[in-house]
Amino acid sequence: MKAPGERDLLLVVDVQNDFLPGGALAVPDGHAVIDPINRLAARFPHVVLTQDWHPAGHVSFASSHAGKRAFESVDLPYGPQVLWPDHCIQGSSGARFSAELHADWAELVMRKGYHAHTDSYSAFVEADRSTSTGLTGYLRERRFSHLYLTGLATDYCVLWTALDAARAGFAVTVIEDAVRGIDMDGSVERAWADMANAGVRRMMSGAIEGG
Ligand code: VGL
Ligand code: ZN
C-alpha cells in the first residue's frame, strides 16, 4: 500500500490496561499490538482511539448477575451477552490507555459501553443493535473512506467494529499483526471468517509504506 492519505484513518481499538497483561481481562499476547500500532500511528495523518468505558455494575459484568461466572452467557433483552470480569470501569487505571501507546495526537477518543444496561463491542452501534454511538456520522462528515483497524480484541471489539464499519459503507482493513484475540472456542478463527465474508481485508503493518 502507498502511504496513508487524507481519506485513510487508523482506528485503534481498546488498547487499555485491563486488556493487557496484568489487567482484569487480559488478552493473550495483547502487549504485542503496541509496537506495530505505535509505528502505524506515526504514519497515518489521522488516528482515532476507542475506549471501553463501563460504569460500575455494568450489565456485561458477571458480578452484576447472581450465581453467574465470567465467560458464561446470559440472555438479555437484546440477546445473548457474554459475561466478563469487571473491566474498564470509568476513571479506573484499568480503563486508561496503555502508557506505552504513543498516539497523543489522536483526534478523537470514542468511548463506548457507557450505558449501564447495554454493552457495546462495536464502536458504531451498541449491542442492542439500534443505539448509535455517532461514530458513523463523525467519520462521514470528516470524509474518511478507508478504516484501518488495530487493537483488542480481534474476536470481540475489533470484529464488531469491523463488521459495522463495512456495513456503514467504509472500506475496512484489519492489520493482522496489530490485533490479538481473547479466543474462546475458536472465536478468533470465526472472527476472521466473518470479517472476510463481509468484505473486510487483512494486511500486515509492514505492507504500509514506511510502516
Ligand atoms: C472487549 C470484552 C468486553 C474488547 C470489551 O475490547 O474486545 N471484550 N469488553
Ligand atoms: Zn467491555
Side-chain angles (χ1 to χ4, degrees):
M1 175 210 184
K2 57 175 179 25
E6 283 302 308
R7 299 292 172 93
D8 298 318
L9 177 78
L10 183 69
L11 189 58
V12 180
V13 176
D14 298 1
V15 182
Q16 296 166 255
N17 292 328
D18 270 341
F19 297 122
L20 294 165
L25 180 41
V27 176
D29 201 29
H31 186 263
V33 305
I34 293 178
D35 273 351
I37 291 173
N38 285 342
R39 281 196 298 274
L40 290 164
R43 300 291 165 203
F44 274 76
H46 304 289
V47 182
V48 165
L49 312 178
T50 74
Q51 190 172 29
D52 212 37
W53 197 248
H54 301 307
H58 190 253
V59 72
S60 75
F61 297 169
S63 63
S64 305
H65 302 266
K68 291 288 177 184
R69 297 209 185 115
F71 308 106
E72 291 179 357
S73 223
V74 285
D75 285 314
L76 295 183
Y78 55 76
Q81 169 72 49
V82 178
L83 298 176
W84 307 104
D86 291 19
H87 66 279
C88 297
I89 294 177
Q90 296 169 356
S92 68
S93 56
R96 279 187 212 129
F97 294 114
S98 165
E100 291 173 51
L101 182 71
H102 300 312
D104 288 339
W105 52 89
E107 294 162 351
L108 176 74
V109 174
M110 190 71 208
R111 288 174 169 168
K112 61 184 179 62
Y114 43 74
H115 287 129
H117 300 289
T118 313
D119 203 2
S120 193
Y121 299 141
S122 167
F124 292 92
V125 186
E126 297 189 12
D128 62 5
R129 299 283 82 204
S130 61
T131 304
S132 171
T133 65
L135 185 58
T136 306
Y138 173 88
L139 297 178
R140 282 197 188 135
E141 279 200 26
R142 297 206 51 207
R143 306 178 67 82
F144 294 117
S145 60
H146 197 147
L147 313 185
Y148 292 81
L149 267 57
T150 60
L152 305 167
T154 314
D155 40 350
Y156 288 93
C157 291
V158 172
L159 167 68
W160 286 56
T161 297
L163 295 179
D164 282 347
R167 230 171 254 134
F170 298 103
V172 184
T173 300
V174 175
I175 311 288
E176 280 186 63
D177 54 320
V179 295
R180 288 295 185 282
I182 295 171
D183 208 12
M184 293 202 285
D185 307 315
S187 54
V188 165
E189 199 180 314
R190 272 200 310 281
W192 285 117
D194 290 350
M195 290 191 282
N197 285 334
V200 172
R201 287 169 263 182
R202 47 202 282 193
M203 189 182 270
M204 298 292 284
S205 63
I208 290 169
E209 190 173 287

